[in-house]
Every structure is written in C-alpha cells, then in structure tokens.
Amino acid sequence: VFAPGAEFGSAKRWPAAYFGQLALSVRQLMEQAQIVLLGSVKDQPVAAEIVKWAPAAISLAGSTSLADAIALIAQADAVVSNDSGLLHIASALNRPVVALYGPTDPGHAPPFSDIATSIYLNLSCAPCRQRECPLKHHKCMRDMLPEQVWQALRPMLPKIS
C-alpha cells in the first residue's frame, strides 16, 4: 500500500513521480506485486499521476471508506506513506512501514510498528511544520530519492522463492 496524500498540506507530500518510480522498482523485483494507492478524494489527482508512472498501480483514492482502507492496510505486506493518518493506522495495525517525513519531526509521532523505517533528511530548514514550503524548494521531500526509499522498503517485502 502506498499512501501518497497528506491532509496537512503539500509540504508533507513526497513527489508523485517518486511514488511512481518506487512502484516500478517493486514491480521489477516482484512482477505479481499489487500496489494499491489509498487516500481521500483530495488525493485522486496525485494518485492518477502515480498511475501514469506505474500503470499497474491501482488507485483506490477516494473510493474506499475508512473501514475499507483499514482492511486493505491490515492485509498489506508493507506500507509506504507520507506523515499522515494512514501512516498511523498502518503503525497501529503493526504493518511494516516506511514513513516519509519532511516538514515534520519523526521523533514527534513516529511509527510504532515492529518493522518500521522513518526517512527524514534532517535539513537545516526542517522541521518547519508548515503546510507549504516557506522557502519554495521543498528539499525535505524532493531530496528524498526513490532509491533511498526503495532500499528501506525492499527488506520488508516477502522473499521471492
């Protein structure tokens, strides 16, 4: 499961193209992997952009109830999420999680899953805790490259026999 949204604001969102590249990496390793994009109606545009990068990804953004999203997360092999409500649901369900933090401090509300990695670049301008990047560069998320997230996610995925 990928959760590319963040209700707080765009500063907390990892770029859609990066989620798309990550989905391609997963599918290269595991052809049969199902990548599901979850989020609210507001996340539909970002989910559609991810699907442009990775057509095999399935966008359910805005088309599931919260209960359905929780059920899907509960069955996920792993969850990659911005700092959002869905991240904390995945953590509460003890799913393997890669948590992406930019303008917020991962020490403030980290995932508590038994298997969890928080990625945070600890830039001099972070954590700014702003909805939009006040410096207009969004480096805290843009400089978090797909390969870095893939390195954290890969060991969480089921072993291929």
Side-chain angles (χ1 to χ4, degrees), residues 8 15 24 28 39-40 48-49 53 72 80 87-89 95 97 114 134 141-142 146:
F8 180 74
L24 293 174
Q28 282 179 338
S40 71
E49 189 176 339
W53 277 90
L72 288 165
V80 178
L87 165 67
H88 300 294
I89 288 170
R95 303 314 308 142
V97 172
D114 290 341
M141 295 304 264
R142 291 187 196 278

Side-chain angles (χ1 to χ4, degrees), residues 80-95:
V80 178
S81 181
N82 297 322
D83 179 17
S84 67
L86 292 178
L87 165 67
H88 300 294
I89 288 170
S91 177
L93 293 170
N94 200 30
R95 303 314 308 142

Side-chain angles (χ1 to χ4, degrees), residues 60-124:
L60 297 179
S63 60
T64 60
S65 66
L66 181 57
D68 291 338
I70 290 169
L72 288 165
I73 290 169
Q75 297 301 312
D77 288 322
V79 176
V80 178
S81 181
N82 297 322
D83 179 17
S84 67
L86 292 178
L87 165 67
H88 300 294
I89 288 170
S91 177
L93 293 170
N94 200 30
R95 303 314 308 142
V97 172
V98 178
L100 311 176
Y101 291 89
T104 54
D105 181 355
H108 177 70
F112 293 104
S113 299
D114 290 341
I115 301 171
T117 299
S118 295
I119 301 179
Y120 176 66
L121 300 180
N122 199 24
L123 302 177
S124 61

Side-chain angles (χ1 to χ4, degrees), residues 1-159:
V1 167
F2 290 178
E7 187 66 28
F8 180 74
S10 66
K12 288 175 84 171
R13 292 188 189 111
W14 198 45
Y18 290 7
F19 272 108
Q21 291 169 36
L22 182 63
L24 293 174
S25 294
V26 171
R27 292 285 301 211
Q28 282 179 338
L29 179 68
M30 305 169 67
E31 279 184 31
Q32 301 305 315
Q34 293 180 340
I35 299 165
V36 176
L37 310 174
L38 294 178
S40 71
V41 170
K42 293 177 185 178
D43 301 318
Q44 287 176 331
V46 72
E49 189 176 339
I50 293 167
V51 170
K52 285 181 186 176
W53 277 90
I58 301 164
S59 174
L60 297 179
S63 60
T64 60
S65 66
L66 181 57
D68 291 338
I70 290 169
L72 288 165
I73 290 169
Q75 297 301 312
D77 288 322
V79 176
V80 178
S81 181
N82 297 322
D83 179 17
S84 67
L86 292 178
L87 165 67
H88 300 294
I89 288 170
S91 177
L93 293 170
N94 200 30
R95 303 314 308 142
V97 172
V98 178
L100 311 176
Y101 291 89
T104 54
D105 181 355
H108 177 70
F112 293 104
S113 299
D114 290 341
I115 301 171
T117 299
S118 295
I119 301 179
Y120 176 66
L121 300 180
N122 199 24
L123 302 177
S124 61
C125 55
C128 69
R129 297 179 183 85
Q130 300 298 308
R131 291 180 183 272
E132 308 296 328
C133 177
L135 301 176
K136 308 288 187 237
H137 57 55
H138 204 215
K139 285 178 174 268
C140 62
M141 295 304 264
R142 291 187 196 278
D143 287 359
M144 188 184 303
L145 300 178
E147 180 61 27
Q148 182 180 10
V149 177
W150 175 232
Q151 291 305 315
L153 175 62
R154 188 173 179 169
M156 296 178 185
L157 298 175
K159 302 296 181 226

